Amino acid sequence: MGDEVALVTGAAQGLGRGFTEALLRRGAKVCVADVKVQTGEATVLRFQQQFGRDRVFFFKCDVTCEADVKAAVQATRDRFGKLTIMVNNAGISSEAQWSKMVDVNLKGVIDGTQEAVAVMRRDTGGQGGVVVNIASAAGLIPVHTTPVYAATKFGVVGFTRSWAANPHLASLGISFACICPTFTDTDMIVHGDFREGRSLYTEDSQRMMAEVGVMPLSQVVTAFEQLLDSPDNNGIVMSVTNIKGVRVRKHGRPSRL
């Protein structure tokens, strides 16, 4: 993977930071994009000390701002010459801020994907690659405690599968896949405060987390690497759970309605 170039959104901490470290270990060059400047710069400094200053850089990016996303993609190309892996990871969880959650979780993924496709597609001079969208198990099953969050993640899954079903992928040279983890040991989950509107029903949410369990971040990162290593990852919807581990659903082109 030494010649791969990746852009990871929401990469200052949590899963995004874990995906970035995995990519760097595999030899890729990475743009760490995040709205959290101080945290992002500190993360990149540690990575530069470990992997080299020429391998990773930070770019301030609010995924709800189309200009920011476009600029992050352009900055990655300017720095490394191309883009071959796009990881749309940025996300929030707050039913009290449902409109912002739609903007970050769904519109941010859509915009990131569209911008990546524009520069990666081989039929217009790009080198192809893969788009990995981070959804959630809440995008596969109903979740009454977080209906808007679930809606955004269902949207990410449907959006990704629809791109994967594109009959013109051979000319694009791009594959599309998504990962759907359950509760993971990140700041969003472990230190989240349900009393501040993350969930509609606090006790139900806490009970659900206790029943399902909280996975170590490394479990999702390992699944991410498994996805990258799959010889045919287009259309993969990968669920990662504490109970059943990694399960891969492969979706081909759907039949006509």
XYZ file of all heavy atoms in Angstrom, residues 84-133:
361
model
N -6.486 8.171 -3.506
C -6.943 6.827 -3.886
C -7.825 6.162 -2.830
O -8.461 5.157 -3.113
C -5.737 5.902 -4.166
O -4.917 5.808 -2.997
C -4.914 6.421 -5.334
N -7.849 6.704 -1.617
C -8.700 6.156 -0.556
C -9.410 7.309 0.146
O -8.759 8.200 0.690
C -7.891 5.352 0.487
C -7.147 4.189 -0.169
C -8.810 4.838 1.595
C -6.200 3.462 0.777
N -10.728 7.292 0.129
C -11.513 8.306 0.825
C -12.281 7.624 1.946
O -13.049 6.685 1.696
C -12.497 8.981 -0.136
C -13.344 10.062 0.521
S -12.357 11.526 0.915
C -13.563 12.562 1.739
N -12.065 8.073 3.174
C -12.765 7.495 4.327
C -13.648 8.585 4.935
O -13.159 9.499 5.603
C -11.780 6.953 5.385
C -12.553 6.266 6.521
C -10.792 5.980 4.745
N -14.935 8.491 4.685
C -15.898 9.443 5.241
C -16.333 8.950 6.613
O -17.259 8.149 6.750
C -17.091 9.588 4.301
C -16.728 10.290 3.013
O -16.276 11.426 3.022
N -16.910 9.609 1.893
N -15.635 9.440 7.627
C -15.808 8.939 8.984
C -16.474 9.936 9.932
O -17.082 9.533 10.926
C -14.437 8.544 9.544
C -14.446 8.326 11.029
O -14.944 7.311 11.538
N -13.910 9.285 11.777
N -16.379 11.220 9.653
C -16.881 12.239 10.579
C -18.355 12.000 10.906
O -19.167 11.741 10.025
C -16.695 13.632 9.978
N -18.687 12.094 12.195
C -20.072 11.892 12.597
C -20.314 12.377 14.016
O -19.379 12.500 14.803
N -21.582 12.663 14.303
C -21.984 13.041 15.651
C -23.217 12.254 16.040
O -23.883 11.652 15.187
C -22.266 14.563 15.774
C -23.455 14.954 14.896
C -21.020 15.365 15.426
C -23.907 16.389 15.112
N -23.535 12.263 17.322
C -24.717 11.560 17.815
C -25.426 12.440 18.834
O -25.000 12.550 19.978
C -24.318 10.223 18.465
O -25.443 9.581 19.012
N -26.499 13.092 18.396
C -27.271 13.943 19.295
C -28.648 14.178 18.709
O -28.805 14.934 17.747
C -26.567 15.291 19.511
O -27.399 16.156 20.266
N -29.634 13.509 19.267
C -31.007 13.689 18.785
C -31.488 15.119 19.017
O -32.358 15.618 18.303
C -31.954 12.698 19.475
C -31.682 11.251 19.126
C -31.927 10.929 17.663
O -33.041 11.219 17.164
O -31.009 10.404 17.008
N -30.912 15.799 20.003
C -31.291 17.187 20.286
C -30.802 18.126 19.194
O -31.344 19.221 19.020
C -30.741 17.615 21.642
N -29.767 17.725 18.465
C -29.246 18.522 17.358
C -29.459 17.762 16.047
O -28.543 17.589 15.252
C -27.761 18.800 17.563
C -27.417 19.530 18.845
C -25.919 19.780 18.963
O -25.342 20.594 18.259
N -25.284 19.053 19.867
N -30.690 17.343 15.818
C -30.956 16.425 14.717
C -30.630 17.026 13.351
O -30.137 16.333 12.455
C -32.397 15.936 14.760
C -33.440 16.983 14.475
C -34.124 17.735 15.371
C -33.909 17.380 13.192
N -34.987 18.583 14.734
C -34.884 18.381 13.389
C -33.603 16.985 11.880
C -35.551 19.002 12.329
C -34.274 17.595 10.828
C -35.235 18.592 11.053
N -30.868 18.318 13.170
C -30.585 18.932 11.878
C -29.078 18.935 11.597
O -28.643 18.610 10.483
C -31.124 20.362 11.851
O -30.908 20.963 10.592
N -28.302 19.287 12.607
C -26.845 19.261 12.448
C -26.363 17.836 12.204
O -25.440 17.603 11.418
C -26.163 19.839 13.693
C -24.645 19.847 13.599
C -24.009 20.462 14.842
C -22.495 20.456 14.736
N -21.847 21.043 15.944
N -27.007 16.872 12.875
C -26.612 15.478 12.710
C -26.843 15.008 11.272
O -26.025 14.275 10.710
C -27.373 14.601 13.707
C -26.859 13.175 13.768
S -27.298 12.351 15.306
C -29.098 12.497 15.306
N -27.933 15.431 10.669
C -28.178 15.106 9.262
C -27.093 15.728 8.387
O -26.574 15.096 7.468
C -29.576 15.587 8.821
C -29.748 15.436 7.313
C -30.667 14.809 9.547
N -26.719 16.973 8.690
C -25.696 17.663 7.906
C -24.346 16.962 8.002
O -23.633 16.809 7.001
C -25.548 19.114 8.380
C -26.717 19.985 7.967
O -27.485 19.574 7.072
O -26.876 21.075 8.546
N -23.975 16.548 9.214
C -22.668 15.909 9.408
C -22.681 14.467 8.924
O -21.850 14.054 8.100
C -22.248 15.952 10.895
C -20.954 15.157 11.109
C -22.070 17.391 11.366
N -23.621 13.687 9.427
C -23.604 12.238 9.213
C -23.983 11.804 7.806
O -23.472 10.801 7.299
C -24.542 11.547 10.192
C -24.100 11.653 11.629
O -23.138 12.348 11.944
N -24.795 10.975 12.521
N -24.912 12.534 7.197
C -25.381 12.124 5.873
C -24.873 13.047 4.770
O -24.201 12.604 3.845
C -26.907 12.068 5.852
C -27.538 11.598 4.526
C -26.975 10.252 4.092
C -29.055 11.548 4.646
N -25.158 14.344 4.890
C -24.725 15.259 3.841
C -23.202 15.318 3.752
O -22.639 15.442 2.656
C -25.317 16.645 4.089
C -26.824 16.704 3.882
C -27.420 18.030 4.310
C -26.955 19.166 3.430
N -27.589 20.447 3.825
N -22.523 15.216 4.904
C -21.065 15.221 4.894
C -20.499 14.027 4.149
O -19.510 14.144 3.407
N -21.120 12.864 4.324
C -20.681 11.653 3.620
C -20.954 11.782 2.127
O -20.113 11.417 1.287
C -21.391 10.411 4.201
C -21.179 9.197 3.301
C -20.887 10.125 5.610
N -22.127 12.301 1.790
C -22.466 12.478 0.375
C -21.480 13.427 -0.296
O -20.929 13.130 -1.368
C -23.908 13.003 0.233
C -24.913 11.928 0.661
C -24.184 13.446 -1.212
C -26.354 12.410 0.727
N -21.230 14.550 0.329
C -20.325 15.539 -0.249
C -18.907 14.987 -0.364
O -18.243 15.155 -1.389
C -20.337 16.807 0.613
C -19.713 17.993 -0.094
O -19.695 17.997 -1.345
O -19.249 18.923 0.579
N -18.447 14.309 0.691
C -17.111 13.721 0.650
C -16.968 12.702 -0.465
O -15.944 12.649 -1.158
N -18.001 11.899 -0.645
C -17.972 10.894 -1.707
C -17.956 11.548 -3.084
O -17.165 11.180 -3.957
C -19.191 9.965 -1.593
O -19.155 9.275 -0.337
C -19.200 8.929 -2.720
N -18.824 12.539 -3.282
C -18.911 13.190 -4.589
C -17.591 13.863 -4.955
O -17.136 13.772 -6.104
C -20.023 14.243 -4.586
C -21.395 13.760 -4.112
C -22.111 12.852 -5.093
O -21.629 11.754 -5.387
N -23.257 13.293 -5.570
N -16.982 14.543 -3.984
C -15.714 15.215 -4.253
C -14.608 14.202 -4.550
O -13.758 14.426 -5.430
C -15.311 16.099 -3.076
C -16.204 17.307 -2.846
C -16.170 18.304 -3.990
O -15.176 18.305 -4.760
O -17.135 19.077 -4.128
N -14.617 13.088 -3.817
C -13.607 12.057 -4.047
C -13.769 11.429 -5.429
O -12.791 11.224 -6.157
C -13.694 10.982 -2.960
N -15.005 11.129 -5.790
C -15.261 10.527 -7.104
C -14.770 11.449 -8.212
O -14.168 10.999 -9.203
C -16.760 10.226 -7.279
C -17.076 9.863 -8.726
C -17.194 9.089 -6.357
N -14.992 12.737 -8.043
C -14.609 13.698 -9.084
C -13.115 13.665 -9.391
O -12.710 13.872 -10.547
C -15.029 15.102 -8.660
N -12.279 13.401 -8.386
C -10.831 13.406 -8.615
C -10.240 12.009 -8.763
O -9.116 11.862 -9.270
C -10.088 14.160 -7.490
C -10.592 15.587 -7.379
C -10.212 13.443 -6.160
N -10.981 10.981 -8.360
C -10.460 9.618 -8.416
C -10.829 8.883 -9.704
O -10.116 7.961 -10.115
C -10.970 8.812 -7.204
C -10.370 9.243 -5.883
S -11.264 8.576 -4.435
C -11.001 6.827 -4.627
N -11.909 9.273 -10.337
C -12.421 8.498 -11.476
C -11.418 8.459 -12.633
O -10.870 9.489 -13.040
C -13.763 9.046 -11.933
C -13.804 10.507 -12.283
C -15.231 10.981 -12.511
N -15.893 10.222 -13.561
C -17.219 10.189 -13.734
N -18.024 10.868 -12.909
N -17.742 9.488 -14.712
N -11.202 7.272 -13.146
C -10.195 7.069 -14.178
C -10.602 7.669 -15.524
O -9.735 8.047 -16.318
C -9.931 5.571 -14.347
C -9.136 4.966 -13.198
C -8.902 3.494 -13.381
N -8.138 2.937 -12.268
C -8.162 1.651 -11.935
N -8.899 0.793 -12.619
N -7.445 1.222 -10.899
N -11.892 7.742 -15.788
C -12.314 8.243 -17.097
C -12.102 9.740 -17.263
O -12.281 10.281 -18.355
C -13.775 7.876 -17.367
C -14.740 8.397 -16.313
O -14.276 8.998 -15.324
O -15.961 8.199 -16.474
N -11.696 10.421 -16.180
C -11.368 11.844 -16.300
C -9.956 12.135 -15.778
O -9.652 13.258 -15.370
C -12.392 12.719 -15.548
O -12.460 12.304 -14.171
C -13.770 12.608 -16.180
N -9.114 11.107 -15.738
C -7.707 11.319 -15.406
C -7.271 10.899 -14.019
O -6.090 10.985 -13.695
N -8.209 10.452 -13.168
C -7.836 9.985 -11.841
C -7.249 8.592 -11.880
O -7.175 7.956 -12.936
N -6.842 8.083 -10.721
C -6.211 6.766 -10.659
C -7.094 5.698 -10.040
O -6.637 4.598 -9.744
C -4.888 6.874 -9.899
C -3.894 7.797 -10.576
C -2.506 7.720 -9.959
O -2.102 6.699 -9.425
N -1.770 8.819 -10.030
N -8.385 6.025 -9.831
C -9.276 5.045 -9.220
C -9.022 4.944 -7.727
O -8.240 5.705 -7.157
N -9.686 3.990 -7.084
C -9.487 3.804 -5.652
C -10.722 3.260 -4.981
O -11.540 2.573 -5.603
N -10.865 3.575 -3.704
C -11.978 3.054 -2.919
C -12.526 4.155 -2.012
O -11.759 4.960 -1.471
C -11.547 1.830 -2.077
C -10.397 2.167 -1.137
C -12.723 1.254 -1.294
N -13.845 4.185 -1.877
C -14.519 5.075 -0.934
C -15.103 4.204 0.172
O -15.899 3.299 -0.102
C -15.648 5.883 -1.612
C -16.407 6.705 -0.576
C -15.084 6.781 -2.700
N -14.686 4.468 1.407
C -15.194 3.723 2.562
C -16.011 4.684 3.418
O -15.466 5.663 3.957
C -14.052 3.114 3.402
C -14.638 2.319 4.581
C -13.170 2.222 2.543
N -17.294 4.427 3.536
C -18.175 5.265 4.346
C -18.470 4.570 5.671
O -18.840 3.392 5.692
C -19.470 5.555 3.595
C -19.232 6.416 2.366
O -18.333 7.260 2.377
N -20.006 6.213 1.317
